[in-house]
Amino acid sequence: MKPNALRKLLFSEIKSVSDCFTDYCISSGKDFTKHRKLSFETVLKTVIGMESKSLTNKLIDLLGTGSDMPSASAFVQQRNKVKAEACKDVFEGFTSNLIIRNESELQVLAIDGSDIQIATNPDDTTSFFPRTNGQKPYNLLHLNALYALNNHIYTDAIIQGGNDKNEHTTLQLMVDKSKIPKALVVADRGYESFNSIAHIQEKGWFFLIRVKDGTCGIKNGLDLPPSDCFDEDICLKLTRKQTNDVKELLKDKNHYKFISATQPFDYLPLKNRKSEPAVFYKLKFRIVRFPISEGMYETIVTNLDRTKYPSDELKSYMPNDGE
């Protein structure tokens, strides 16, 4: 898509949000009701299009010089009247329009997280880390981002306080609320979980997730070939119940798996009465192990079809973490 077309699409989304500006004002029915040079739409365009210039120079570029040019202080006052949801809805409208234009294409979505240090504020308990071992106190946010490799754009992002970060729940939330009809989620080891895989399966999407290659994680407990390389189909029936009958089933490690009440899994009840039959959730995937260099191997789980995506081809989709 050409730059001018992208700019036109972005400005169209800004206008759509600005047409409903009362929904995005801190004081609805009061803010931006008077005709001012710094309208809601102008403020939003300035915030989204902010470059490395000073605020004053940005205002000059946007509004020109003159005796009626708003001051930087006036702009900040107007900006403080706008809810953060305004930028969020512009972002979602803009990215969804780009994705919809290629909805027949399988979107490859990469998920990752990153810590961001912000100004120290002890009052923000969600992000504040006190002094330890002579280190100065600091505040940390955690950014979770979903990136579409086909379109080279971010399709979603969730920011959490450093003390409240949970990459599993944010991935599940982004998958559940996405409007993308068909996608492949590519993720690193930090996102390895039965619950996340189940959310992607329920969405009708595909997943390709790097998992721990040792004796813990999803690989643990499965009966896998002793060879260095393999490509095995697994169909697990997960349950939270442990009756004598279920315990017999659990001996078949490649078809049954017990999920404890402390392990998050949204598609099974936390408790089963003894009088009730055991509830199972079926999870289907391949577990693939292949060489990545001499003497080094990678293990992944995926629900991609083996005939279309043989193990050799899966390597090209894997994230490179520098290992």
Side-chain angles (χ1 to χ4, degrees):
M1 199 170 183
K2 294 183 178 180
N4 285 340
L6 285 171
R7 186 173 185 271
K8 184 177 179 180
L9 178 59
L10 176 59
F11 281 6
S12 174
E13 291 301 324
I14 292 175
K15 188 175 188 312
S16 294
V17 169
S18 299
D19 287 343
C20 307
F21 73 90
T22 54
D23 296 336
Y24 301 98
C25 291
I26 301 297
S27 298
S28 182
K30 179 181 177 182
D31 294 337
F32 293 99
T33 53
K34 295 180 181 179
H35 181 73
R36 297 173 183 262
K37 201 161 187 177
L38 285 174
S39 65
F40 183 94
E41 186 174 353
T42 300
V43 170
L44 207 50
K45 280 184 178 179
T46 306
V47 170
I48 293 174
M50 188 67 70
E51 299 172 348
S52 57
K53 298 178 181 179
S54 68
L55 179 53
T56 299
N57 286 334
K58 182 63 180 177
L59 291 173
I60 291 173
D61 289 345
L62 191 68
L63 304 172
T65 57
S67 58
D68 62 341
M69 190 194 85
S71 65
S73 175
F75 175 83
V76 171
Q77 291 179 44
Q78 291 294 89
R79 183 188 63 193
N80 289 342
K81 298 175 183 177
V82 181
K83 293 179 180 178
E85 285 77 10
C87 291
K88 178 176 177 291
D89 285 358
V90 170
F91 166 75
E92 291 183 349
F94 177 70
T95 55
S96 63
N97 267 291
L98 290 176
I99 295 294
I100 288 171
R101 293 167 187 263
N102 300 295
E103 62 178 3
S104 62
E105 183 181 10
L106 177 66
Q107 294 293 325
V108 182
L109 306 176
I111 176 72
D112 208 350
S114 181
D115 289 331
I116 303 169
Q117 188 168 348
I118 58 174
T120 305
N121 178 11
D123 295 329
D124 184 1
T125 56
T126 65
S127 65
F128 181 70
F129 291 82
R131 183 193 304 270
T132 55
N133 298 325
Q135 186 182 38
K136 292 183 178 180
Y138 59 95
N139 285 68
L140 212 61
L141 298 179
H142 191 74
L143 171 65
N144 305 271
L146 197 61
Y147 186 76
L149 298 176
N150 311 55
N151 300 85
H152 305 288
I153 59 171
Y154 289 97
T155 64
D156 204 351
I158 296 176
I159 298 175
Q160 302 169 298
N163 290 313
D164 295 339
K165 74 174 182 180
N166 188 316
E167 292 185 327
H168 295 294
T169 57
T170 51
L171 170 59
Q172 293 152 22
L173 177 60
M174 288 191 280
V175 168
D176 291 348
K177 70 187 184 74
S178 176
K179 297 178 182 178
I180 299 173
K182 186 169 60 173
L184 164 65
V185 176
V186 180
D188 216 336
R189 297 183 190 91
Y191 294 90
E192 174 184 354
S193 94
F194 286 124
N195 200 23
S196 293
I197 289 175
H199 275 261
I200 298 169
Q201 178 176 276
E202 288 292 317
K203 188 75 173 182
W205 286 4
F206 300 97
F207 54 84
L208 184 66
I209 302 175
R210 179 185 284 165
V211 298
K212 298 177 182 71
D213 199 32
T215 57
C216 57
I218 288 176
K219 187 179 175 183
N220 183 41
L222 296 174
D223 284 329
L224 298 171
S227 55
D228 290 332
C229 301
F230 51 77
D231 188 344
E232 294 290 307
D233 288 316
I234 303 293
C235 182
L236 280 180
K237 291 183 179 179
L238 309 179
T239 185
R240 293 196 191 274
K241 201 160 189 177
Q242 284 201 92
T243 62
N244 289 333
D245 290 340
V246 171
K247 287 180 180 178
E248 283 299 311
L249 294 174
L250 292 174
K251 293 178 181 179
D252 184 354
K253 296 181 180 181
N254 284 1
H255 291 91
Y256 293 91
K257 178 80 174 178
F258 172 71
I259 301 292
S260 71
T262 59
Q263 184 175 347
F265 193 81
D266 298 327
Y267 302 99
L268 287 174
L270 281 176
K271 294 181 180 179
N272 270 147
R273 294 180 180 178
K274 288 185 178 181
S275 58
E276 296 176 338
V279 178
F280 295 93
Y281 181 87
K282 186 184 292 186
L283 202 59
K284 299 180 70 175
F285 56 89
R286 293 160 58 195
I287 183 161
V288 187
R289 193 171 191 262
F290 47 78
I292 54 174
S293 62
E294 187 176 352
M296 295 188 68
Y297 297 85
E298 191 73 84
T299 305
I300 60 99
V301 293
T302 183
N303 59 344
L304 289 169
D305 183 78
R306 180 184 287 105
T307 57
K308 293 182 179 179
Y309 300 92
S311 58
D312 287 344
E313 189 173 335
L314 296 179
K315 298 179 186 180
S316 63
Y317 286 94
M318 293 311 303
N320 182 7
D321 63 358
E323 294 184 2

